[in-house]
Amino acid sequence: MVRWGSQFLLFNENNEMKTQHYTDMQFSQHASQRAQQRAIDPLVISEIIRHGERIYKQGIIFHFMPKNSLRLFYHRTDQKQIEDVVVITSHDGTVITAYRNQHAVKSIKRI
């Protein structure tokens, strides 16, 4: 397992910036390697897990950030990093993998 401590900038409804700090994210070796290969920042992964929506399927949890939440709470530069990223975790919270898919929600619901 790989543990990450991180922070991320968020914007509230009034466009005021606030910083979130996250610690103790657990990544499998596979997730760590794939996130690096796919240029998905651990900060983005933790943000999606903490604030995104979840779909429970096949004994795992799919996390993603809905587009309406992106537009409301994130600066445009952060939106591009977070958009279309899917994070898969086990029920104990360990990150299994992360990937990008524009049609992720449709694909997940079809499984």
Side-chain angles (χ1 to χ4, degrees):
M1 301 286 173
V2 179
R3 292 184 184 269
W4 293 90
S6 55
Q7 67 180 24
F8 204 88
L9 296 177
L10 281 173
F11 292 85
N12 64 17
E13 308 82 38
N14 300 323
N15 212 22
E16 298 166 335
M17 186 172 40
K18 63 180 183 173
T19 304
Q20 295 283 333
H21 294 276
Y22 304 119
T23 56
D24 289 333
M25 294 292 301
Q26 293 185 357
F27 287 70
S28 67
Q29 285 298 115
H30 173 82
S32 204
Q33 181 182 11
R34 292 294 185 224
Q36 189 173 36
Q37 290 172 343
R38 296 167 178 160
I40 300 172
D41 193 304
L43 298 171
V44 169
I45 292 172
S46 64
E47 191 67 13
I48 290 169
I49 290 171
R50 299 229 189 312
H51 299 289
E53 289 188 11
R54 298 177 179 133
I55 297 175
Y56 296 83
K57 205 135 191 170
Q58 297 178 326
I60 54 178
I61 307 167
F62 294 83
H63 304 263
F64 64 94
M65 189 66 69
K67 294 199 187 303
N68 57 352
S69 294
L70 278 172
R71 293 185 189 108
L72 276 175
F73 299 110
Y74 298 95
H75 191 270
R76 261 183 252 145
T77 55
D78 292 334
Q79 287 177 16
K80 289 185 184 263
Q81 289 182 1
I82 298 170
E83 189 174 44
D84 302 327
V85 173
V86 177
V87 180
I88 298 176
T89 62
S90 63
H91 286 287
D92 69 0
T94 301
V95 178
I96 297 170
T97 195
Y99 61 92
R100 295 180 194 279
N101 182 345
Q102 287 181 334
H103 308 290
V105 177
K106 280 185 188 177
S107 299
I108 294 165
K109 287 183 178 180
R110 269 195 309 230
I111 297 174

